Amino acid sequence: MKHYEIEKDMRYLELLAQSFPTIADASTEIINLQAILNLPKGTEHFLADIHGEYEAFIHVLKNASGNIKRKVNDLFGNTLRETEKRELCTLIYYPEQKLELVKQNEEDIDDWYHITLHQLVAVCRDVSSKYTRSKVRKNLPSDFSYIIQELLHERTEDRDKTAYVNVIVDTIISTGRADDFIIAIANVIQHLVIDQLHILGDIYDRGPGAHIIMDYLRHRQNWDIQWGNHDILWMGAAAGNNACICNVIRLSLRYANLATLEEGYGINLVPLATFAMETYKNDPCEEFIPKITGEGSHLDERTCRLTAQMHKAISILQFKLENQIFESHPDWDMTSRCLFNHIDYKNGTINIDGKEYEMTSCNFPTINEKDPNALTDEEKLLMRKLHHSFMVSEKLHKHMRAMLQHGCMYAIYNNNLLFHASIPLNEDGSLKTVEIFPGRKYAGRKLLHNIDMLIRTAFQNDSDPDERQYAIDYFLYLWCGKDSPLFDKSKMATFERYFIKDKETWHEEKGNYFKLRDNEEVIDRILDSFGVEGLNRHIINGHVPVRATSGENPVKANGKLMVIDGGFSKAYHNETGIAGYTLVYHSRGFQLVQHEPFTSTEDAIRTGTDIKSTTQIVEMSNRRMLVADTDKGRELRQQIADLEELLYAFRHGYIKESERK
């Protein structure tokens, strides 16, 4: 190492020496890091478009897309019956609930404890084998950390240790800690079987428990999210965009699902209900009868009618507020979506692109034909109340902070480019330049990066007021703008679907990304533009449900693109024929898992019902991948190089060794 290189790095090396003050400390860390490089690559788990289906989501995480079941089969093979393996898996997924059932039915509970504890230790030993002892220790509960470590690293096959291990297990049982230990080690297995969780957007809308999913994620480590269009809508609502607030409420009413709004975030919808019942008391609101899937199927006639009235009231308010924002931002080129301006209210028709269409109804008691986008005094008061309710919801803002902390528009992990929906493209497949702020135009990676920065600006009170207001408004463009990478269609035909009979107006022309995404050359161009390198590089995204029943393949562009939105949401099941895809990337390669609909958590606990899943091998490596082959490996090699430079500095007197205090 040359003298000038040491001089250049002296300040950094002096800082590094504070953590590793001696040759022995630095050498030990190099040995440790070199060893980590040769461990198997950790398992990455990819999910997309969860849409509030919290039971299915949590179950897929608990069973790691069938990974735990596969490990139990590998470990116990024919030594356990299928029913016993199923019971063991259920215990790992839902330890508290399953223990209650076992204790009601098991005649010799101590014998069951003894057998089960040994089985759980064996599973835990297997899932922890690819990690350092230090990493495993960090995942252990403090109450049982020492005991679990002893059991993981001592085996009954060793004669000298058999009595030692058995006494530990016997003492856990005799001291009445068996239940607590089982719960603890089951949770350790769940955490260790997935090293990194990637969510490719859309936690929110349609299903009943987005808030439950966010609570669950907030208590997990090692997860990230690439924001989806529905997540952005909720983030916009939390930032104070009134059009986003109306959209969030409208979608909840459309799917007869108010649990997240009312129970999750305490949003007060009584003012909306009062306004809707009075304003639309003589209106059948037929276009606004909710889609009765899931919980909505239990609505009685009276509740269904009130829901439809509220649905119409918030929709009209939404369209007015959207139109106001579109007119205030002519650079978005979305004023053509101000459709209230094109209605012939006397004849009940609307003019779109020079053609007249008959409307399903033309009952708009709150619209002034001379100024159709103006809010009435009653609507202004209602909007103030709804806005206040969103602004003071502590839990909503806590969840949005988690979204910002763990989220981004795109991410690159281990040669995989992750984003929710699309990259805007021109017709020839080249990157499309998009203006996201007057005078600021970007494409590809720079476009997504600057949108990311703009989103964060909306939540920063100390940012420039004009730029912050633009950022808050921009959430609406991200939701429905034709060049939004989270939407990428010619229009969002919500108005047409409600009010125009002719279905030709309902068509939403997909952007060029969706038309060209099976073209390997186009996908390579996108990967190049994001700086994703390597022979086995991929784009992984969701957003568009894969119609498995129609024979659509989620793997496209000769294996370089994987679309993993198979439809968690019950609203999609008839369309897709399945209940979601998840992707597992472990040390041997990629496995795509296709799931059938989940019955319920109760069935899973009582009868051992698991999600029926079909695994497709997407890409397997000819050798087992190591940490050295990953992004983490590159970081560790750089750390090793830095430590070797520190050793040189110690040994040649540039830096003096010091003793730890």
Side-chain angles (χ1 to χ4, degrees):
M1 188 175 297
K2 295 180 181 178
H3 176 80
Y4 74 87
E5 290 178 325
I6 281 288
E7 297 238 336
K8 182 180 66 175
D9 295 338
M10 277 300 293
R11 290 185 65 187
Y12 171 69
L13 292 176
E14 286 168 354
L15 286 172
L16 191 60
Q18 292 178 19
S19 298
F20 305 98
T22 68
I23 289 175
D25 291 325
S27 300
T28 299
E29 184 65 6
I30 290 172
I31 294 167
N32 178 46
L33 296 179
Q34 288 284 13
I36 292 172
L37 286 172
N38 288 279
L39 287 171
K41 171 194 175 297
T43 300
E44 296 173 75
H45 201 184
F46 302 80
L47 293 86
D49 300 270
I50 301 150
H51 286 303
E53 297 295 343
Y54 68 95
E55 284 196 334
F57 168 76
I58 291 173
H59 187 82
V60 165
L61 285 194
K62 285 179 176 292
N63 79 359
S65 286
N67 235 12
I68 288 177
K69 186 176 182 180
R70 286 192 290 274
K71 288 186 178 295
V72 167
N73 280 327
D74 290 344
L75 277 171
F76 299 107
N78 296 325
T79 61
L80 292 180
R81 291 176 294 178
E82 288 302 315
T83 54
E84 292 172 324
K85 287 186 281 190
R86 189 165 62 244
E87 290 286 301
L88 180 59
C89 287
T90 305
L91 181 67
I92 293 171
Y93 307 155
Y94 304 100
E96 296 97 332
Q97 300 93 323
K98 192 62 181 177
L99 276 167
E100 291 301 315
L101 289 178
V102 168
K103 287 190 287 186
Q104 290 173 20
N105 301 312
E106 187 60 50
E107 294 180 2
D108 190 344
I109 192 66
D110 283 356
D111 183 55
W112 181 87
Y113 279 142
H114 201 278
I115 294 169
T116 303
L117 287 172
H118 280 289
Q119 291 171 344
L120 290 172
V121 168
V123 176
C124 192
R125 184 181 295 126
D126 184 75
V127 300
S128 65
S129 62
K130 62 170 65 175
Y131 304 119
T132 63
R133 290 193 180 192
S134 173
K135 183 166 183 173
V136 173
R137 188 163 56 247
K138 290 174 184 175
N139 280 275
L140 300 180
S142 56
D143 285 0
F144 294 107
S145 179
Y146 174 76
I147 296 171
I148 293 176
Q149 288 180 71
E150 289 296 292
L151 291 173
L152 290 182
H153 300 111
E154 303 294 351
R155 297 175 180 267
T156 54
E157 291 87 346
D158 183 345
R159 284 186 177 181
D160 295 332
K161 294 290 186 177
T162 301
Y164 175 72
V165 171
N166 286 336
V167 166
I168 292 176
V169 172
D170 290 341
T171 307
I172 291 171
I173 297 168
S174 65
T175 55
R177 299 301 309 280
D179 285 5
D180 293 333
F181 184 85
I182 287 170
I183 293 167
I185 200 167
N187 288 328
V188 170
I189 293 168
Q190 288 181 34
H191 288 147
L192 290 178
V193 78
I194 298 172
D195 189 43
Q196 184 73 29
L197 172 64
H198 306 292
I199 299 175
L200 279 74
D202 279 1
I203 287 174
Y204 282 87
D205 290 332
R206 295 195 176 93
H211 58 294
I212 298 172
I213 293 169
M214 287 302 300
D215 273 337
Y216 188 84
L217 288 172
R218 284 184 62 245
H219 294 98
R220 284 188 64 94
Q221 296 178 335
N222 302 330
W223 67 278
D224 56 82
I225 179 170
Q226 292 68 55
W227 302 313
N229 52 320
H230 289 269
D231 305 317
I232 283 293
L233 190 64
W234 280 79
M235 292 168 76
N241 184 312
N242 286 339
C244 290
I245 288 173
C246 291
N247 266 289
V248 161
I249 297 171
R250 179 185 63 81
L251 282 167
S252 298
L253 290 163
R254 178 174 173 78
Y255 291 94
N257 163 39
L258 301 178
T260 296
L261 276 173
E262 294 184 316
E263 298 169 22
Y265 297 131
I267 304 300
N268 182 11
L269 296 180
V270 172
L272 174 60
T274 304
F275 172 84
M277 284 190 293
E278 178 61 29
T279 307
Y280 298 100
K281 58 186 175 185
N282 297 319
D283 189 335
C285 299
E286 291 179 356
E287 307 93 330
F288 296 90
I289 293 172
K291 291 192 174 187
I292 50 172
T293 58
E295 306 232 344
S297 60
H298 303 298
L299 291 181
D300 57 48
E301 185 177 347
R302 183 178 177 183
T303 305
C304 189
R305 171 156 173 72
L306 175 58
T307 303
Q309 291 172 326
M310 294 169 68
H311 187 182
K312 182 168 185 177
I314 202 67
S315 297
I316 302 302
L317 192 53
Q318 170 197 312
F319 295 135
K320 287 183 177 184
L321 291 166
E322 286 180 345
N323 295 347
Q324 290 176 14
I325 294 177
F326 295 154
E327 289 177 342
S328 68
H329 296 287
D331 51 301
W332 292 1
D333 190 24
M334 293 191 69
T335 53
S336 62
R337 297 303 300 156
C338 300
L339 296 178
F340 283 149
N341 299 343
H342 302 281
I343 296 175
D344 183 332
Y345 292 92
K346 291 180 181 178
N347 295 318
T349 60
I350 186 169
N351 188 299
I352 299 179
D353 297 329
K355 187 175 179 179
E356 292 287 328
Y357 295 96
E358 183 183 356
M359 298 186 65
T360 55
S361 70
C362 204
N363 182 20
F364 302 117
T366 68
I367 286 183
N368 176 354
E369 294 182 29
K370 295 180 181 179
D371 190 5
N373 299 321
L375 271 58
T376 65
D377 290 341
E378 291 81 5
E379 285 176 321
K380 289 177 182 176
L381 177 61
L382 170 61
M383 198 62 244
R384 282 198 296 270
K385 290 178 178 178
L386 292 174
H387 182 97
H388 176 76
S389 198
F390 273 80
M391 293 304 100
V392 299
S393 173
E394 184 180 346
K395 190 168 186 178
L396 172 62
H397 288 274
K398 188 181 293 182
H399 286 173
M400 292 305 105
R401 285 194 294 272
M403 276 282 189
L404 290 167
Q405 181 184 352
H406 292 269
C408 52
M409 283 294 295
Y410 78 94
I412 300 170
Y413 285 93
N414 298 324
N415 300 330
N416 297 310
L417 172 60
L418 317 181
F419 55 82
H420 175 67
S422 81
I423 303 297
L425 301 175
N426 297 309
E427 287 186 10
D428 63 358
S430 60
L431 297 175
K432 186 174 185 177
T433 300
V434 177
E435 187 173 63
I436 67 166
F437 198 86
R440 302 180 195 173
K441 298 181 180 181
Y442 307 97
R445 185 173 191 167
K446 287 185 177 180
L447 173 64
L448 267 61
H449 171 75
N450 281 280
I451 288 174
D452 192 301
M453 295 299 100
L454 192 60
I455 288 167
R456 296 179 194 280
T457 298
F459 293 95
Q460 294 169 1
N461 294 325
D462 58 349
S463 57
D464 177 82
D466 291 339
E467 188 160 341
R468 184 171 182 233
Q469 186 56 55
Y470 185 92
I472 292 171
D473 288 351
Y474 198 72
F475 281 107
L476 180 62
Y477 187 87
L478 287 172
W479 167 245
C480 61
K482 63 180 180 179
D483 287 329
S484 164
L486 297 176
F487 182 63
D488 201 6
K489 293 182 185 178
S490 59
K491 65 180 180 182
M492 183 175 285
T494 306
F495 183 97
E496 290 89 336
R497 290 174 187 273
Y498 284 137
F499 292 119
I500 301 179
K501 291 181 178 180
D502 193 331
K503 290 187 178 181
E504 78 169 24
T505 65
W506 298 9
H507 178 66
E508 300 170 345
E509 185 72 17
K510 291 181 179 178
N512 291 316
Y513 174 82
F514 300 110
K515 297 174 183 177
L516 300 171
R517 62 182 180 168
D518 209 16
N519 185 319
E520 185 177 356
E521 183 180 336
V522 170
I523 297 304
D524 275 331
R525 190 178 301 149
I526 293 172
L527 289 165
D528 288 342
S529 73
F530 277 80
V532 183
E533 300 175 341
L535 295 174
N536 299 312
R537 58 182 188 166
H538 312 86
I539 290 175
I540 306 172
N541 68 271
H543 185 61
V544 180
V546 177
R547 290 162 177 81
T549 51
S550 303
E552 184 180 357
N553 191 340
V555 182
K556 304 177 186 297
N558 197 25
K560 291 187 176 179
L561 170 65
M562 289 176 268
V563 182
I564 61 168
D565 176 11
F568 263 91
S569 172
K570 291 184 175 70
Y572 286 142
H573 289 181
N574 290 336
E575 186 179 346
T576 62
I578 59 171
Y581 286 103
T582 56
L583 186 68
V584 177
Y585 183 26
H586 48 63
S587 60
R588 307 225 179 250
F590 282 100
Q591 290 183 314
L592 188 70
V593 184
Q594 177 182 306
H595 303 284
E596 292 186 18
F598 182 56
T599 53
S600 72
T601 301
E602 184 179 354
D603 283 348
I605 295 164
R606 288 195 169 275
T607 64
T609 303
D610 207 341
I611 292 181
K612 292 182 180 178
S613 305
T614 305
T615 301
Q616 174 184 345
I617 305 298
V618 176
E619 185 177 285
M620 297 303 280
S621 175
N622 55 9
R623 66 173 181 83
R624 196 171 193 189
M625 284 176 283
L626 306 177
V627 172
D629 303 313
T630 67
D631 296 341
K632 184 66 176 176
R634 282 191 285 274
E635 291 176 19
L636 295 182
R637 282 194 292 273
Q638 183 58 56
Q639 290 175 31
I640 290 169
D642 292 343
L643 287 164
E644 287 174 340
E645 195 170 344
L646 178 61
L647 281 180
Y648 183 94
F650 279 145
R651 287 169 174 157
H652 290 80
Y654 290 101
I655 297 176
K656 302 294 184 185
E657 291 184 82
S658 60
E659 293 186 9
R660 289 185 179 276
K661 293 182 180 179

